[in-house]
Amino acid sequence: MPNFLPINTILVPQGAEYKAVCRGLSDITGFIPTVVAIPVGMKPLLKYLQQGQFLAPSRVLIMGICGSLSDRYKVGDIVLYQDCIYQGKRLECDRTFTAQLHSALLTPHSPLPTPHSPANLVKSLTSDRVIWSAAEKRRLGEMAADVVDMEGFTALEFFNAAGVAVAMLRVVSDDCQHDIPDLTPAINSDGSLNPFPLAMGMLRQPLAATRLIRGSLTALKVLKQVTSRLFSGNRLE
């Protein structure tokens, strides 16, 4: 089956998100894009990209999970970024590439396992730390952003400068109504996760941790399925 978009490279935060995307591609025949596990966070990602560890592609799809800043977007919702905001600066994703992905996800095939629209066009905010409190999520949502992650703006700035078209597709893993554990201390300077601070952060807020785990599992399931859909010639088997 041909790669119908086409997409050369997928960048996904390392760990569970990377594994979900790889599982989504595991049964695909024909051309499969290169999947690259990237560090978590803005500074580690920039350092990684500047090292040039992979050949410059013509198109990059960034995938993963994100947090909602709006009541409109629930756990399991698929979102396509229109742009990314960081400290008042705004960068647009490639419009043509994004429109092609949006069209592919709106075709009338078996629905993905999400109760809402299969492809929401959103405005995103990039943060250099975990946005964990519901109050801060809602406050940030009032600044004209719908979702938040920790890599989007950095990737967009880097690849825009290199003339590479970028689209971003993520799945919501936590809503704006509830706190999640503050896991910022668990992120190492190289963008990897430190298991001990991660466990401690979870133990300090067990209810929030349970909610985060449940939401992440839902989001990862959808992430796997949307990956499979995109690269199986836009069909769900």
Side-chain angles (χ1 to χ4, degrees):
M1 183 68 64
N3 181 359
F4 75 103
L5 285 173
I7 297 168
N8 309 80
T9 305
I10 301 175
L11 301 188
V12 195
Q14 61 190 353
E17 295 163 82
Y18 172 78
K19 291 175 183 176
V21 169
C22 289
R23 284 196 300 270
L25 292 171
S26 62
D27 294 329
I28 304 302
T29 58
F31 177 82
I32 297 176
T34 302
V35 186
V36 180
I38 58 173
V40 175
M42 300 183 70
K43 289 181 180 178
L45 175 58
L46 180 59
K47 182 179 179 181
Y48 175 83
L49 293 174
Q50 288 173 337
Q51 290 172 349
Q53 295 188 5
F54 56 95
L55 295 174
S58 60
R59 278 184 158 191
V60 167
L61 174 61
I62 296 171
M63 302 184 76
I65 60 178
C66 62
S68 175
L69 303 176
S70 166
D71 289 332
R72 293 191 299 275
Y73 304 109
K74 312 295 185 184
V75 171
D77 280 357
I78 300 164
V79 293
L80 271 171
Y81 290 11
Q82 294 175 305
D83 55 32
C84 293
I85 303 166
Y86 177 67
Q87 293 186 345
K89 293 185 288 185
R90 175 178 169 273
L91 294 174
E92 282 195 355
C93 296
D94 185 88
R95 292 185 180 184
T96 300
F97 191 3
T98 301
Q100 288 175 330
L101 285 167
H102 191 235
S103 175
L105 293 170
L106 286 176
T107 53
H109 294 290
S110 302
L112 288 159
T114 176
H116 304 280
S117 169
N120 303 279
L121 291 169
V122 299
K123 298 182 179 300
S124 74
L125 174 73
T126 303
S127 173
D128 56 8
R129 58 187 173 82
V130 175
I131 305 300
W132 60 271
S133 81
E136 185 174 16
K137 291 180 195 179
R138 290 192 293 270
R139 180 179 64 79
L140 291 171
E142 293 170 359
M143 299 166 56
D146 302 306
V147 298
V148 61
D149 69 45
M150 298 179 66
E151 299 85 26
F153 188 91
T154 298
L156 204 48
E157 189 172 46
F158 179 86
F159 285 116
N160 279 359
V164 175
V166 176
M168 301 195 195
L169 189 160
R170 292 196 181 233
V171 181
V172 175
S173 63
D174 56 280
D175 62 32
C176 67
Q177 297 298 323
H178 303 93
D179 293 351
I180 61 173
D182 181 8
L183 301 180
T184 302
I187 302 174
N188 294 323
S189 60
D190 64 355
S192 62
L193 291 177
N194 190 324
F196 182 71
L198 179 65
M200 293 304 296
M202 293 288 206
L203 288 171
R204 276 194 291 268
Q205 297 172 276
L207 290 178
T210 300
R211 189 177 296 114
L212 176 62
I213 292 168
R214 187 182 300 122
S216 296
L217 290 173
T218 297
L220 291 168
K221 178 181 178 181
V222 176
L223 182 62
K224 171 185 176 292
Q225 297 214 8
V226 73
T227 302
S228 178
R229 176 173 186 158
L230 282 174
F231 293 97
S232 60
N234 198 34
R235 289 202 303 264
L236 278 178
E237 301 300 336

